[in-house]
Amino acid sequence: MLSVRLLGPVRASVDAREIALGPPLQRAVFTVLAVRRDQVVDRGELIDAVWGEALPGNPEGAVHTYVAGLRRALEPVRARRSPGRFLESHPSGYRLRLPDPEATDLARFERLADEGRAASGAGRLPLAERLLDEALALFDGSVLGGVPGPFAQARREWLAAARQSLAEDRAEVLLARRRFGAAAAEARRLADAEPLRERPWALLMTALYRDGRQAEALAAYDRARAVSAEQLGLDPGPLLGELRQRIVVADPSLLPGGPREAEPGERWVDLPRDSDHFTGRTAEAARVVAAAGRGVCAIDGMAGVGKTTLAVHVAQRLAGRCPDVRLYIDLHGHTPGRRPVTAAAALERLLLAVGVPGERIPAGAEDRAALWRSRLAGRRALLVLDNAVDTGQVRPLLPGSASCLVVITSRRRLTGLDAGESVSLDVLPFTDALALFAAVAGPDRVAAEPAATEAVLRACGLLPLAVQISAARLRHRPAWTVAHLRDRLAVEERRLDELAAEDRSVEAAFALSYRSLATGARRMFRLLGLFPGAELGLAAAAALCGVDVVAADRLLEGLVDCQLLDEPRPGRYRLHDLLRAYAARECCRTESADERAAALARLADFYLATVDGAEQLLRPQRLDRADPSAPRTGAEFGDRAAALAWLDAERGVFAPLVETAARIGRHRQAWQLARCLWGFFEARGHWTDWICCHELALPSARLLGDRLAEARLLVGLGVAEHRLRNYPAAVSHYRNALALMREAGFRSGEAGVLTNLGNTLRRMGRTAEAIECQEQSLAGCQAIPDQAGEAIALANLGDLYRDAGRLRKSLAAQEQALAMFRKWGERRWEGSVLDGLARTHLAAGATEPALVHCREALECRRACGDRAGEAETLDTLGRIHLRRGDLAPARSALTRALAVAQALDTPLADDIRRRLARISGGPPSDAENNTPDP
């Protein structure tokens, strides 16, 4: 069977298989034959239709070639010279056989249009609206898209006029059904599309007047008059002039008569049709169905997340349970240019919809609510209250009968509802977003560019409205590739501008929610757009906004209730990516450059103070503080575990914040923030984060001319590169830092750099040089004196002496270092030295004391959250068991060590894998060395 689509890009399919219609002129020949279905089209007529006056050299031959191409496409396996199944040759021309009277969407359109108009004339308005909707829904983009020639152009113009006229008929039906708001919206769209046609303006003026919006109706006339004067130099015709006068004098005949009373067996039904592209939401739909089945269910979520789409979809599923009444009303809680519908006005519309004559509707809202409840008593009714502004708006509309089901949508969480349940919508899962994009844009284009499609969906934040808009833009631009769309969306500053199509816009949807906020909440929201990370805590938000924590908590919770902010965990907040872009744009529009810089400066000060306090718990023996005299403006922690938990939660913001502080000229905060993260990055093994932060901070130290700050950052880079086993890079950083330390006369720092340099030289197999460095460091620390540096140098000398086979000196140095660290309560260093002692005893063949020290080391490292150290000590434990011949506990320890090392993504994981692979084991490798803090 052959089916043809003409009311969009021209397509054809045979037995549900789409066929390639060939080049544009061949498609033009096919289009003429399809429009003139089952009629013989003369060759001369075909030539005129395709080329007009711009004839080729041999038009008859060209037609013959294109017809042959179409035959091959329609019937690729047809025997040569056999009669065609679809395309027939006649002496004078050709005929496309389409036995099915509705094989083309054009034929279906014509039938539905005729039937819809007939139903409207007979007063069967719900049927008329449905038929007209079906007819208009057949249009899919540019009519006869991709088809050249005078015939196609003339047919396009005729179909555009037919579509406009039918849409005007539909608006008339909406007016007759008392759906004034919907009629006005449709008429406004039609008037914008064809501003010189008077009928849409008349429909718009009438709908607005009947909706109680007399001033807007007169403003519509003024606009129509301005357009007519500008383009024609004339006033509108008498139709609009007379209508305006009737509106001015409030002519009662303009108002509709009361609605018909329900005839026996008639039902009151007015639900929108389900979306053609409804995708996913299986779990959410089931929850709404279950909740609504018990009475009332409220669906909330951010703008564009698909609340109305889900509500209508669920309503269609529930329709069978409610045969008596099925009504939908838009409460305009967030509609451009509209105030929210009052409860009294909504009740009037609902009462009219169920057949109550206007003269019998009480004036007061309470009386109307009582009549509404009595009207629905005992009826099996379904009510969709869409786009509610708050609980107060919907509470009077709720039926009192248990036989009634209600589905409410709102951008707010309707926590004030006395009964019912709530379902909060999140963005779509990736697979559902992909399915929605493919359904709108076309599966072939998506399948051809999967990587680009994923990037587009990520740029849309998986928000259904954004996905639909981007897919619709792609569908209606055949020349675009998905990669081209991806590139347009890749520019973050322009992304919101790209996510707009006709009257739909992601930015406009967000703007309605934003403008409904109070002044303080607006300011908090837009300042959140400056935050450089993905997620922030309450105290950080308070610092950014310059308010106390109590006020910040109130503002943030209000934004959560309005679905402008997520709260993934208590006290942790996150903006959707597109909302972040919108907030940043509003911030740039509203806040001055100085105000924006001040907010970011407050944020940098907060984080520096907080990280500095956390570092004091992680490394109490460090040699420097960010600014000991500065007031404590950051969060404070009771113990090391609390500090680490906060640092873990904030990890993603540190590098962006260092970069931001440098960008706004807060160079001291930039380099000190990186410096104060030493203990956290080392405890958790975040070596790449360490390098990133230090590299971002290094230019700030140099711009300040602070040679000591530069040296300290170079030491940090050396430590991280050492941990990643990039030893030559580490040596280079250490030597540069050493020169700066000596230039500054910072002897304690010089000793620390020598210690770290010795550690790296040891890993490079240069043991003698390493021992020399460590002994110089020890001597320097003793001369200053610097007991912390002295203890670190002793611990590292213990490892080096073990490497050199000087085991007694190794044990002596490590025992001395252990006593010092225990005296100060430095458990992280204690764990490191105990691990070194275990390895020295193992090297001496004394596995029992090695085992004792190793278990003590493991306890220390776990107690202080030193995950990297824990992996090293578990590795040591495994090697001790191997030396003792205990394969099962060796395998267990090494397996645990590997799990930790893999989680931290450290190079040690490769060593452990090799050890597990040859479980019999070779000689053990040495542990990582200690890295002092100069």
Side-chain angles (χ1 to χ4, degrees):
M1 177 179 174
L2 174 63
S3 62
V4 180
R5 299 194 66 179
L6 301 168
L7 301 181
V10 173
R11 296 175 180 172
S13 59
V14 176
D15 299 331
R17 174 183 59 84
E18 187 164 347
I19 62 174
L21 292 174
L25 290 175
Q26 185 167 299
R27 299 169 74 88
V29 170
F30 177 82
T31 299
V32 177
L33 296 171
V35 171
R36 300 281 300 279
R37 59 190 182 277
D38 287 318
Q39 300 177 38
V40 176
V41 181
D42 183 80
R43 289 184 183 86
E45 188 178 350
L46 268 176
I47 291 169
D48 289 341
V50 174
W51 287 283
E53 296 181 359
L55 293 176
N58 180 12
E60 292 84 358
V63 168
H64 177 77
T65 299
Y66 292 140
V67 168
L70 289 171
R71 282 198 171 113
R72 287 192 298 273
L74 292 167
E75 300 178 75
V77 297
R78 182 179 68 91
R80 186 175 177 82
R81 299 194 180 278
S82 65
R85 177 183 171 193
F86 303 114
L87 191 51
E88 297 177 348
S89 296
H90 290 263
S92 61
Y94 304 95
R95 179 175 71 165
L96 188 67
R97 294 185 69 250
L98 293 169
D100 183 349
E102 293 195 0
T104 70
D105 54 358
L106 176 56
R108 290 197 297 279
F109 168 75
E110 292 169 341
R111 176 185 62 80
L112 289 167
D114 290 343
E115 292 179 359
R117 285 169 170 146
S120 176
R124 303 172 64 190
L125 299 179
L127 176 61
E129 183 181 352
R130 179 176 63 79
L131 291 169
L132 297 180
D133 279 344
E134 289 182 21
L136 292 167
L138 292 172
F139 285 87
D140 183 20
S142 177
V143 175
L144 302 181
V147 179
F151 177 87
Q153 183 58 34
R155 186 60 55 162
R156 265 192 289 270
E157 294 171 1
W158 181 85
L159 284 170
R163 182 183 189 181
Q164 174 84 6
S165 177
L166 197 69
E168 292 167 2
D169 290 343
R170 180 182 179 278
E172 290 265 23
V173 171
L174 293 175
L175 266 177
R177 298 194 68 193
R178 289 181 165 271
R179 294 174 57 189
F180 305 133
E186 180 68 3
R188 191 185 303 277
R189 184 184 67 79
L190 296 172
D192 289 342
E194 295 286 345
L196 295 179
R197 285 175 65 93
E198 292 197 355
R199 188 184 179 202
W201 290 111
L203 289 168
L204 175 59
M205 293 166 64
T206 304
L208 289 171
Y209 180 71
R210 291 182 180 178
D211 203 30
R213 299 150 67 184
Q214 183 183 32
E216 291 181 59
L218 294 173
Y221 173 83
D222 292 339
R223 185 179 169 204
R225 182 181 182 185
V227 170
S228 181
E230 179 182 348
Q231 298 191 26
L232 301 177
L234 300 171
D235 280 343
L239 170 67
L240 295 188
E242 292 172 7
L243 179 58
R244 177 188 182 277
Q245 185 60 30
R246 293 171 68 194
I247 291 172
V248 168
V249 300
D251 184 347
S253 67
L254 270 183
L255 295 175
R260 294 178 297 113
E261 289 288 347
E263 298 174 5
E266 185 173 6
R267 296 161 182 168
W268 301 105
V269 178
D270 184 17
L271 287 180
R273 62 189 294 248
D274 202 356
S275 170
D276 292 335
H277 303 299
F278 187 85
T279 304
R281 299 292 193 204
T282 305
E284 294 93 335
R287 285 185 59 201
V288 176
V289 167
R294 295 188 293 272
V296 179
C297 180
I299 304 171
D300 60 68
M302 66 184 287
V305 82
K307 301 178 293 296
T308 299
T309 302
L310 177 61
V312 171
H313 177 73
V314 167
Q316 295 292 354
R317 287 177 55 179
L318 291 169
R321 305 187 195 179
C322 305
D324 300 331
V325 178
R326 300 195 291 270
L327 296 177
Y328 166 94
I329 183 170
D330 186 346
L331 298 174
H332 296 296
H334 297 88
T335 302
R338 291 293 303 270
R339 292 183 177 180
V341 177
T342 65
L347 285 165
E348 180 181 18
R349 296 181 192 179
L350 290 170
L351 288 166
L352 287 169
V354 294
V356 179
E359 63 272 14
R360 289 175 48 193
I361 296 177
E366 290 186 8
D367 292 335
R368 289 179 178 182
L371 178 58
W372 168 243
R373 289 192 295 271
S374 67
R375 188 73 176 180
L376 292 190
R379 294 201 182 205
R380 291 169 295 175
L382 171 62
L383 185 61
V384 178
L385 304 176
D386 189 28
N387 200 6
V389 66
D390 56 24
T391 304
Q393 185 188 31
V394 299
R395 188 182 288 117
L397 313 183
L398 300 180
S401 174
S403 62
C404 298
L405 311 181
V406 183
V407 179
I408 307 167
T409 75
S410 177
R411 295 188 187 182
R412 283 183 166 274
R413 290 179 176 160
L414 303 181
T415 55
L417 279 179
D418 299 328
E421 298 184 38
S422 295
V423 174
S424 294
L425 292 190
D426 200 350
V427 297
L428 289 169
F430 178 81
T431 53
D432 291 343
L434 179 62
L436 175 59
F437 189 82
V440 178
D444 293 343
R445 301 178 79 177
V446 170
E449 299 179 85
T453 299
E454 180 174 355
V456 167
L457 295 178
R458 299 298 180 196
C460 292
L462 306 180
L463 184 70
L465 176 61
V467 171
Q468 284 186 304
I469 289 175
S470 60
R473 294 191 72 196
L474 185 65
R475 179 180 190 131
H476 296 302
R477 287 166 174 80
W480 283 17
T481 62
V482 184
H484 177 73
L485 177 62
R486 174 203 62 200
D487 294 342
R488 295 178 71 97
L489 292 171
V491 183
E492 189 168 345
E493 294 77 11
R494 221 178 65 193
R495 187 171 300 160
L496 289 173
D497 298 326
E498 294 293 333
L499 293 174
E502 293 186 345
D503 60 339
R504 295 193 304 168
S505 161
V506 170
E507 181 172 12
F510 291 165
L512 292 168
S513 295
Y514 169 71
R515 289 167 188 160
S516 70
L517 299 173
T519 302
R522 284 191 193 185
R523 180 170 179 269
M524 171 64 85
F525 173 75
R526 60 180 178 259
L527 287 176
L528 290 179
L530 297 177
F531 187 72
E535 186 180 298
L536 82 165
L538 172 60
L544 182 66
C545 199
V547 298
D548 60 44
V549 172
V550 174
D553 181 62
R554 175 177 51 80
L555 293 171
L556 292 170
E557 288 303 311
L559 293 176
V560 171
D561 287 341
C562 292
Q563 300 292 350
L564 286 169
L565 191 65
D566 289 334
E567 189 175 12
R569 298 187 302 284
R572 302 291 300 175
Y573 301 93
R574 179 176 59 212
L575 279 173
H576 183 275
D577 288 347
L578 294 177
L579 276 172
R580 181 187 309 283
Y582 176 73
R585 178 173 286 189
E586 283 299 321
C587 194
C588 287
R589 288 170 177 164
T590 307
E591 308 288 340
S592 69
D594 289 343
E595 289 169 330
R596 298 196 300 271
L600 288 171
R602 290 192 300 269
L603 188 71
D605 289 340
F606 163 79
Y607 270 100
L608 178 57
T610 306
V611 169
D612 186 48
E615 180 77 339
Q616 188 63 21
L617 288 170
L618 299 182
R619 296 195 307 142
Q621 297 301 323
R622 63 182 172 147
L623 299 180
D624 63 314
R625 296 289 305 273
D627 186 355
S629 63
R632 302 299 299 167
T633 58
E636 298 186 3
F637 309 104
D639 54 29
R640 178 187 179 90
L644 279 171
W646 182 84
L647 289 162
D648 285 333
E650 300 286 349
R651 175 187 170 190
V653 77
F654 294 137
L657 188 60
V658 171
E659 185 176 26
T660 298
R663 176 172 53 80
I664 65 171
R666 296 281 174 155
H667 297 297
R668 181 186 64 83
Q669 288 92 332
W671 84 259
Q672 288 188 347
L673 182 62
R675 168 72 177 177
C676 290
L677 287 164
W678 181 303
F680 169 59
F681 288 149
E682 188 170 50
R684 293 300 197 230
H686 298 321
W687 313 120
T688 53
D689 286 15
W690 187 331
I691 290 171
C692 180
C693 284
H694 278 60
E695 288 181 341
L696 288 169
L698 201 55
S700 288
R702 288 169 176 162
L703 282 169
L704 290 170
D706 191 334
R707 310 305 294 275
L708 193 54
E710 181 182 353
R712 284 173 161 153
L713 292 174
L714 286 169
V715 171
L717 284 169
V719 170
E721 295 287 9
H722 172 96
R723 291 291 189 157
L724 291 173
R725 303 189 180 182
N726 298 326
Y727 300 128
V731 168
S732 175
H733 289 312
Y734 288 145
R735 293 200 186 281
N736 290 334
L738 189 60
L740 291 169
M741 294 287 188
R742 285 172 173 165
E743 180 184 323
F746 186 36
R747 295 186 63 195
S748 179
E750 179 184 342
V753 177
L754 284 166
T755 293
N756 288 334
L757 179 58
N759 288 340
T760 303
L761 292 170
R762 176 197 172 210
R763 299 300 297 175
M764 298 173 76
R766 297 157 64 175
T767 305
E769 293 175 77
I771 290 175
E772 182 182 356
C773 283
Q774 296 292 359
E775 288 179 342
Q776 287 181 19
S777 175
L778 179 62
C781 290
Q782 289 171 336
I784 295 174
D786 175 5
Q787 288 189 324
E790 179 182 351
I792 292 169
L794 283 167
N796 287 305
L797 276 169
D799 289 330
L800 283 163
Y801 290 148
R802 181 177 67 245
D803 293 348
R806 299 155 68 180
L807 299 184
R808 287 187 179 179
K809 289 197 72 171
S810 173
L811 289 172
Q814 288 171 326
E815 292 288 359
Q816 189 178 350
L818 181 63
M820 297 172 78
F821 288 132
R822 280 180 168 167
K823 175 182 176 182
W824 301 326
E826 269 284 3
R827 299 216 70 191
R828 187 174 69 86
W829 293 108
E830 180 184 350
S832 179
V833 176
L834 284 167
D835 186 271
L837 278 167
R839 292 172 186 245
T840 302
H841 281 296
L842 179 62
T847 58
E848 194 59 41
L851 198 58
V852 171
H853 284 308
C854 190
R855 286 170 175 162
E856 291 177 342
L858 194 58
E859 180 185 348
C860 285
R861 290 187 143 169
R862 284 174 173 166
C864 62
D866 185 359
R867 295 280 286 164
E870 181 183 350
E872 294 171 2
T873 300
L874 284 168
D875 179 46
T876 304
L877 181 61
R879 291 164 56 194
I880 295 169
H881 283 305
L882 282 175
R883 181 69 64 85
R884 291 163 67 94
D886 301 333
L887 296 186
R891 186 179 292 107
S892 173
L894 291 171
T895 301
R896 285 181 287 154
L898 181 61
V900 177
Q902 284 177 327
L904 297 175
D905 194 24
T906 66
L908 178 62
D910 293 333
D911 296 341
I912 299 170
R913 286 191 199 94
R914 286 192 293 270
R915 241 187 291 287
L916 279 167
R918 59 174 201 275
I919 196 64
S920 56
S925 63
D926 292 315
E928 290 285 349
N929 299 302
N930 300 317
T931 51
D933 169 16

